[in-house]
Amino acid sequence: MSTRRSFLQQIAASAALSLVPLSSLASERKYEGPVLRVAIMGLGGYGTRVADAMKTCQKAKLVGAISGTPEKLTRWQEKYGIPAENCYNYQTFDQIKNNKNIDVVYITTPNALHHDQVIRVAAAGKHVICEKPMALNAKEGQEMVDACKKAGVKLLVGYRMHFEPQTLEVIRLRKEGAFGKILFFQGQCGFTIGDPTQWRLNRELAGGGSLMDIGIYAINGARYMVGEEPIWVTAQETKTDPVKFKEGVDETIQFQLGFPSGAVASALSTYKMNNLDRFFVNGEKGFAEMQPSTGYGPIKGRTHLGELKAPHVTHQTRQMEEMAGIILEGKEPVVAVNGEEGVKDLKIIDAIYKAVKTGKKVPLNLI
């Protein structure tokens, strides 16, 4: 009887197990590999977004904070459980070289500060993740790449879209030839910017205007959607509010890119219009359209084959998980996120500004 009862219990247990979703089982598996210990520099809106997203990371953990505002450091210690000994200000953060509990510093400060901060972090022997744009120009960017190589640390750029599932699906389809020969890319990136006193409208801190902040998505997107490096650029600037958008701070820029295969790209970057977050790539056999294409919320899109249906994961959570793999395990992402990738975008930005100023087609050499 006991044998029969045991047999029936095993049958019941097996049946119950078969009803449990595999996703539930996977979520209960505890990660036991190496964990990337992260300090965030710049505790503003985006730094907070990254910190919140890391709460659900398994491979990356927030352990430190760097800020010029003592009150922010106190709040972060309380909110995220950060030890006081892992908190620094902008004058003292070189001391992280003596802190064995921090592996990498994620820099989310204004653009103009990136260059010196990355070089200082590298000199302290820590890996660096730097928000885009990596620097104010390609010269600065290359100096950052060189400094990190000299120090033997990795330099990654916060290209969260390079890990986004819908984006990666379009790239996969393009690589497999689903669209045929790529002919055209269109990128529309923009919103109506608010507070005129914010750092994004300060040339000294931002290095420009909409192109540095939002237009870089279209620049980077053109490259990974077309699958080539552009060889020329033309560009035009429109400014309707010279009071809000002072000299050197672009309001709206349209630019065009040409590729070796003959494909062309047309893009719009603006701080003056809403409802602009769209990518479209067209080939001889098909197309892909994404809208929204780069926003923080779920990315939505379709191709000639149907709707894109990959599940949404918070971008910064997925980014930090993948970057932990790159830094700790040497993993190679589908689309590069290293400093060299950042320099290429900066070379294009330099060329766009030159094209605006001269009204001429500017050649590019990114190889």
Side-chain angles (χ1 to χ4, degrees), residues 199-223:
W199 71 262
R200 288 178 177 81
L201 297 176
N202 181 331
R203 182 184 182 184
E204 297 303 313
L205 289 176
S210 71
L211 187 68
M212 299 291 284
D213 180 32
I214 193 75
I216 191 171
Y217 285 110
I219 292 169
N220 194 251
R223 295 174 52 225

Short mmCIF file of all heavy atoms in Angstrom, two decimals, residues 199-223:
data_model
loop_
_atom_site.label_atom_id
_atom_site.label_comp_id
_atom_site.label_asym_id
_atom_site.label_seq_id
_atom_site.Cartn_x
_atom_site.Cartn_y
_atom_site.Cartn_z
N TRP A 199 21.05 72.71 -17.64
CA TRP A 199 22.39 72.57 -18.20
C TRP A 199 22.37 72.15 -19.66
O TRP A 199 23.31 72.46 -20.41
CB TRP A 199 23.24 71.61 -17.37
CG TRP A 199 22.88 70.16 -17.45
CD1 TRP A 199 22.13 69.45 -16.58
CD2 TRP A 199 23.29 69.22 -18.47
NE1 TRP A 199 22.02 68.14 -16.98
CE2 TRP A 199 22.73 67.96 -18.13
CE3 TRP A 199 24.07 69.31 -19.62
CZ2 TRP A 199 22.92 66.83 -18.91
CZ3 TRP A 199 24.28 68.17 -20.41
CH2 TRP A 199 23.70 66.96 -20.05
N ARG A 200 21.33 71.48 -20.12
CA ARG A 200 21.27 71.03 -21.51
C ARG A 200 21.19 72.21 -22.50
O ARG A 200 21.43 72.03 -23.69
CB ARG A 200 20.08 70.08 -21.72
CG ARG A 200 20.30 68.72 -21.10
CD ARG A 200 19.09 67.82 -21.28
NE ARG A 200 19.34 66.49 -20.72
CZ ARG A 200 19.25 66.19 -19.43
NH1 ARG A 200 18.89 67.14 -18.57
NH2 ARG A 200 19.50 64.96 -18.99
N LEU A 201 20.81 73.38 -21.99
CA LEU A 201 20.76 74.58 -22.85
C LEU A 201 21.91 75.52 -22.55
O LEU A 201 21.90 76.68 -22.98
CB LEU A 201 19.41 75.30 -22.66
CG LEU A 201 18.18 74.49 -23.08
CD1 LEU A 201 16.90 75.25 -22.77
CD2 LEU A 201 18.26 74.14 -24.57
N ASN A 202 22.90 75.01 -21.84
CA ASN A 202 24.11 75.77 -21.53
C ASN A 202 25.25 75.21 -22.38
O ASN A 202 25.68 74.08 -22.19
CB ASN A 202 24.43 75.63 -20.04
CG ASN A 202 25.66 76.41 -19.62
OD1 ASN A 202 26.58 76.63 -20.41
ND2 ASN A 202 25.68 76.85 -18.37
N ARG A 203 25.71 76.00 -23.32
CA ARG A 203 26.73 75.51 -24.26
C ARG A 203 27.98 75.01 -23.55
O ARG A 203 28.59 74.02 -23.97
CB ARG A 203 27.11 76.63 -25.25
CG ARG A 203 28.12 76.20 -26.29
CD ARG A 203 28.55 77.35 -27.18
NE ARG A 203 29.50 76.93 -28.20
CZ ARG A 203 30.08 77.75 -29.05
NH1 ARG A 203 29.80 79.06 -29.01
NH2 ARG A 203 30.92 77.30 -29.95
N GLU A 204 28.36 75.68 -22.46
CA GLU A 204 29.58 75.31 -21.76
C GLU A 204 29.48 73.92 -21.14
O GLU A 204 30.47 73.20 -21.05
CB GLU A 204 29.90 76.35 -20.67
CG GLU A 204 30.17 77.75 -21.21
CD GLU A 204 31.31 77.76 -22.22
OE1 GLU A 204 32.36 77.14 -21.92
OE2 GLU A 204 31.15 78.38 -23.29
N LEU A 205 28.29 73.54 -20.73
CA LEU A 205 28.10 72.23 -20.10
C LEU A 205 27.65 71.15 -21.08
O LEU A 205 28.01 69.99 -20.94
CB LEU A 205 27.08 72.34 -18.96
CG LEU A 205 27.53 73.09 -17.72
CD1 LEU A 205 26.38 73.22 -16.73
CD2 LEU A 205 28.72 72.39 -17.06
N ALA A 206 26.83 71.54 -22.06
CA ALA A 206 26.25 70.56 -22.99
C ALA A 206 27.08 70.38 -24.26
O ALA A 206 27.02 69.32 -24.90
CB ALA A 206 24.83 70.97 -23.35
N GLY A 207 27.80 71.41 -24.66
CA GLY A 207 28.59 71.32 -25.89
C GLY A 207 27.79 71.53 -27.14
O GLY A 207 28.30 71.41 -28.25
N GLY A 208 26.51 71.86 -26.99
CA GLY A 208 25.63 72.07 -28.14
C GLY A 208 24.20 72.11 -27.66
O GLY A 208 23.92 72.60 -26.56
N GLY A 209 23.30 71.55 -28.45
CA GLY A 209 21.89 71.54 -28.08
C GLY A 209 21.27 70.19 -28.30
O GLY A 209 21.76 69.17 -27.81
N SER A 210 20.20 70.18 -29.10
CA SER A 210 19.44 68.94 -29.29
C SER A 210 20.28 67.82 -29.90
O SER A 210 20.08 66.65 -29.58
CB SER A 210 18.22 69.21 -30.18
OG SER A 210 18.60 69.44 -31.53
N LEU A 211 21.21 68.15 -30.77
CA LEU A 211 22.01 67.11 -31.44
C LEU A 211 22.80 66.29 -30.43
O LEU A 211 22.89 65.06 -30.55
CB LEU A 211 22.94 67.74 -32.47
CG LEU A 211 23.72 66.76 -33.34
CD1 LEU A 211 22.77 66.02 -34.29
CD2 LEU A 211 24.80 67.48 -34.16
N MET A 212 23.38 66.96 -29.43
CA MET A 212 24.18 66.25 -28.43
C MET A 212 23.32 65.38 -27.52
O MET A 212 23.77 64.33 -27.05
CB MET A 212 24.94 67.27 -27.56
CG MET A 212 25.92 68.14 -28.33
SD MET A 212 27.35 67.24 -28.95
CE MET A 212 28.31 67.02 -27.45
N ASP A 213 22.10 65.79 -27.30
CA ASP A 213 21.24 65.11 -26.33
C ASP A 213 20.36 64.04 -26.97
O ASP A 213 20.37 62.88 -26.56
CB ASP A 213 20.36 66.16 -25.64
CG ASP A 213 19.43 65.55 -24.60
OD1 ASP A 213 19.80 64.54 -23.98
OD2 ASP A 213 18.33 66.09 -24.41
N ILE A 214 19.61 64.42 -27.99
CA ILE A 214 18.61 63.52 -28.57
C ILE A 214 18.98 63.08 -29.99
O ILE A 214 18.70 61.97 -30.41
CB ILE A 214 17.21 64.17 -28.54
CG1 ILE A 214 16.12 63.15 -28.83
CG2 ILE A 214 17.13 65.37 -29.47
CD1 ILE A 214 15.85 62.22 -27.69
N GLY A 215 19.65 63.97 -30.74
CA GLY A 215 20.01 63.65 -32.12
C GLY A 215 21.01 62.52 -32.23
O GLY A 215 21.07 61.81 -33.24
N ILE A 216 21.80 62.32 -31.17
CA ILE A 216 22.80 61.24 -31.20
C ILE A 216 22.14 59.87 -31.34
O ILE A 216 22.73 58.93 -31.86
CB ILE A 216 23.70 61.30 -29.95
CG1 ILE A 216 24.90 60.35 -30.11
CG2 ILE A 216 22.91 61.00 -28.69
CD1 ILE A 216 25.94 60.51 -29.02
N TYR A 217 20.86 59.75 -30.92
CA TYR A 217 20.15 58.48 -31.10
C TYR A 217 19.97 58.17 -32.58
O TYR A 217 20.09 57.02 -33.01
CB TYR A 217 18.77 58.54 -30.43
CG TYR A 217 18.82 58.43 -28.93
CD1 TYR A 217 18.53 59.53 -28.13
CD2 TYR A 217 19.14 57.23 -28.31
CE1 TYR A 217 18.54 59.44 -26.75
CE2 TYR A 217 19.17 57.12 -26.93
CZ TYR A 217 18.86 58.23 -26.15
OH TYR A 217 18.89 58.13 -24.79
N ALA A 218 19.65 59.19 -33.37
CA ALA A 218 19.48 58.98 -34.82
C ALA A 218 20.82 58.69 -35.48
O ALA A 218 20.91 57.89 -36.42
CB ALA A 218 18.82 60.20 -35.46
N ILE A 219 21.88 59.36 -35.02
CA ILE A 219 23.22 59.11 -35.55
C ILE A 219 23.61 57.66 -35.30
O ILE A 219 23.99 56.92 -36.22
CB ILE A 219 24.24 60.06 -34.89
CG1 ILE A 219 23.99 61.51 -35.32
CG2 ILE A 219 25.67 59.64 -35.24
CD1 ILE A 219 24.79 62.52 -34.53
N ASN A 220 23.52 57.24 -34.06
CA ASN A 220 23.89 55.89 -33.68
C ASN A 220 22.95 54.87 -34.31
O ASN A 220 23.38 53.82 -34.80
CB ASN A 220 23.88 55.77 -32.15
CG ASN A 220 24.57 54.54 -31.64
OD1 ASN A 220 23.92 53.62 -31.14
ND2 ASN A 220 25.88 54.48 -31.75
N GLY A 221 21.65 55.20 -34.33
CA GLY A 221 20.66 54.30 -34.92
C GLY A 221 20.87 54.08 -36.40
O GLY A 221 20.70 52.96 -36.90
N ALA A 222 21.24 55.13 -37.12
CA ALA A 222 21.51 54.98 -38.55
C ALA A 222 22.61 53.96 -38.79
O ALA A 222 22.54 53.14 -39.71
CB ALA A 222 21.89 56.33 -39.15
N ARG A 223 23.61 53.97 -37.94
CA ARG A 223 24.75 53.08 -38.11
C ARG A 223 24.37 51.63 -37.85
O ARG A 223 24.71 50.73 -38.63
CB ARG A 223 25.89 53.50 -37.18
CG ARG A 223 26.47 54.88 -37.53
CD ARG A 223 27.51 55.35 -36.51
NE ARG A 223 28.52 54.34 -36.31
CZ ARG A 223 28.97 53.98 -35.10
NH1 ARG A 223 28.49 54.54 -34.00
NH2 ARG A 223 29.90 53.06 -35.02
#
